[in-house]
Amino acid sequence: MGSRAGGMNMDDIEANKRIVRERHEATQRLCLGGEDHRQHMAGGERHFLAGSMPAHAATGVEWLKAWHSQTVSPTFHGLGPMIAEGDHVVEEWETCIHGADGALYNNQYCWIQRIEGGRVVEVREYEDSHHVWTLLGRDPEWPALEPLTARRESNLEGVEITAELTLDPALLRDPVPRPGALTADGEGPDANRAFIRSLHDAQATGDGDLVDAHYGDGFRHFLAGERPFGWDHLPLTQLYAPLVEHLASPLTLRFGPMVAEGDRVFEEMESFAELDDGTVYDNWHCFVHELRDGQIVETREYLDTHHVWVTLGRWAPWAADPVPPLRRARRSNLPEVVATFQHRNPFLDLERWGGALV
């Protein structure tokens, strides 16, 4: 039997990581013209995309074709380290695709995948959705989305809600780290999970000083996306000022179960509020927290960025200048790159692929 951590069999955890890794290897073999291993790539799993997509995306993949058909490269993926616990595997990665029009698709992702019976049966995907609209939605131009007027399907549908709280709008700000002020009680996944729960307890009470005490020296907060997001994002008070100004109800946060391994903790969250013009703010988030010396030193957050633009951009000074299509790669979202692979572009016909897939 394998060793155990947090009550879990490490052999099972490593086996689940291998299942995910084998899917990547299968796409690489297919891209290089080897045996068709598409059965590894598409297991019929339930796939939830936590991002605002155009209405015609529900009819298939043709909505991707306009830009992708003129690309000049396969899809290149850089993978970060996995986080695995129980039957879940979490991955972060970045993707680059070069277009003949000079634009670059360079998105940043985080997936949580559930393993059952030796295969992936469920995926919840987070990405910079505004980047998709900015690049792929140009020609022909996608119909603009209207702000939501009712709650949408939750990213936590069917998932246990482990915490629910009302957030004081004053806490929509960047934390002020307090090195050593409060530390996790012990080391390892269980202690780190408890520390994140303690953070939520502090948020629920509205105690800003206690919230700050969870963050250590040099804390960095990454928001997947480009301006006003990214590593050098706008101060959160500016980013969320329109939300605070137009709140017509409490801002509620709901959290799903955590996945923890080593010094990393993953969690998902839904944020919801009614606004004073009859619309709603209903965003999907996930976080990867990095802990060192018992405090949070880095948080990488993935959210529906296009929903922020559609809902809050109506009132925000930061939305005055639209984000142009990328022309060069942006700063990576990954703490380190542990693997790279290619994915076949179904709209691009390269001779070495022996013809396009569709």
Side-chain angles (χ1 to χ4, degrees):
M1 292 293 291
S3 61
R4 305 182 73 83
M8 304 307 302
N9 190 316
M10 293 302 295
D11 286 348
D12 293 340
I13 291 173
E14 291 305 316
N16 286 342
K17 288 182 179 179
R18 284 197 298 273
I19 290 168
V20 172
R21 194 175 300 116
E22 286 168 1
R23 285 159 58 98
H24 298 320
E25 292 169 353
T27 64
Q28 181 72 82
R29 288 192 293 269
L30 181 61
C31 186
L32 295 176
E35 182 183 351
D36 187 345
H37 290 275
R38 275 173 283 180
Q39 68 270 22
H40 295 282
M41 299 160 48
E45 69 268 7
R46 178 181 183 268
H47 193 123
F48 177 81
L49 176 58
S52 300
M53 290 293 112
H56 57 294
T59 62
V61 296
E62 287 298 305
W63 61 282
L64 296 169
K65 190 170 185 177
W67 188 79
H68 279 278
S69 60
Q70 59 83 54
T71 56
V72 292
S73 78
T75 303
F76 296 98
H77 299 287
L79 301 178
M82 297 180 186
I83 305 171
E85 184 178 24
D87 56 2
H88 286 91
V89 177
V90 174
E91 284 189 294
E92 296 171 271
W93 74 65
E94 57 186 337
T95 291
C96 289
I97 313 173
H98 297 271
D101 62 356
L104 175 68
Y105 183 84
N106 181 200
N107 213 332
Q108 299 162 323
Y109 299 85
C110 187
W111 282 25
I112 176 170
Q113 301 163 86
R114 182 165 64 86
I115 313 296
E116 186 179 287
R119 68 184 186 93
V120 176
V121 297
E122 183 179 57
V123 176
R124 293 193 296 282
E125 173 182 347
Y126 298 83
E127 65 180 27
D128 175 11
S129 54
H130 191 62
H131 179 55
V132 177
W133 280 81
T134 299
L135 187 61
L136 275 61
R138 295 175 295 157
D139 185 21
E141 186 175 356
W142 295 351
L145 292 183
E146 295 297 322
L148 295 172
T149 56
R151 196 163 205 151
R152 55 184 174 175
E153 179 186 4
S154 173
N155 56 320
L156 304 179
E157 188 71 32
V159 173
E160 177 190 2
I161 303 301
T162 59
E164 187 166 0
L165 61 94
T166 298
L167 188 72
D168 183 345
L171 291 180
L172 285 173
R173 59 166 176 79
D174 297 300
V176 180
R178 296 176 57 195
L182 180 69
T183 59
D185 185 13
E187 299 180 352
D190 289 339
N192 292 338
R193 244 191 316 268
F195 195 67
I196 301 302
R197 285 195 294 268
S198 171
L199 171 63
H200 298 329
D201 291 342
Q203 291 170 326
T205 65
D207 188 335
D209 288 339
L210 186 56
V211 168
D212 292 341
H214 287 77
Y215 295 92
D217 190 32
F219 170 74
R220 303 191 305 169
H221 183 187
F222 169 74
L223 293 163
E226 302 163 72
R227 180 186 57 80
F229 308 102
W231 284 106
D232 300 315
H233 59 79
L234 280 181
L236 295 187
T237 51
Q238 295 180 31
L239 179 61
Y240 288 117
L243 176 60
V244 175
E245 181 181 355
H246 291 278
L247 280 175
S249 76
L251 173 61
T252 60
L253 308 181
R254 301 197 305 162
F255 296 89
M258 300 178 197
V259 178
E261 183 181 9
D263 293 330
R264 295 185 173 106
V265 179
F266 167 89
E267 62 176 344
E268 296 171 276
M269 182 187 84
E270 180 184 26
S271 59
F272 179 83
E274 297 174 354
L275 305 180
D276 59 12
D277 68 341
T279 64
V280 301
Y281 182 78
D282 185 4
N283 214 327
W284 298 310
H285 311 248
C286 76
F287 306 85
V288 177
H289 304 289
E290 302 259 5
L291 285 87
R292 185 176 61 242
D293 298 328
Q295 291 187 297
I296 305 167
V297 294
E298 183 168 301
T299 294
R300 295 185 296 279
E301 177 180 355
Y302 301 79
L303 69 161
D304 184 358
T305 51
H306 194 61
H307 179 60
V308 178
W309 275 84
V310 169
T311 307
L312 305 185
R314 297 173 291 164
W315 304 299
W318 49 256
D321 296 319
V323 174
L326 276 179
R327 298 288 169 176
R328 61 179 184 179
R330 51 185 168 180
R331 188 175 171 188
S332 174
N333 55 312
L334 304 177
E336 58 183 303
V337 176
V338 299
T340 59
F341 72 99
Q342 299 175 61
H343 194 291
R344 186 171 180 171
N345 183 337
F347 305 110
L348 180 62
D349 188 359
L350 294 183
E351 182 179 352
R352 67 186 175 94
W353 288 352
L357 289 176
V358 295

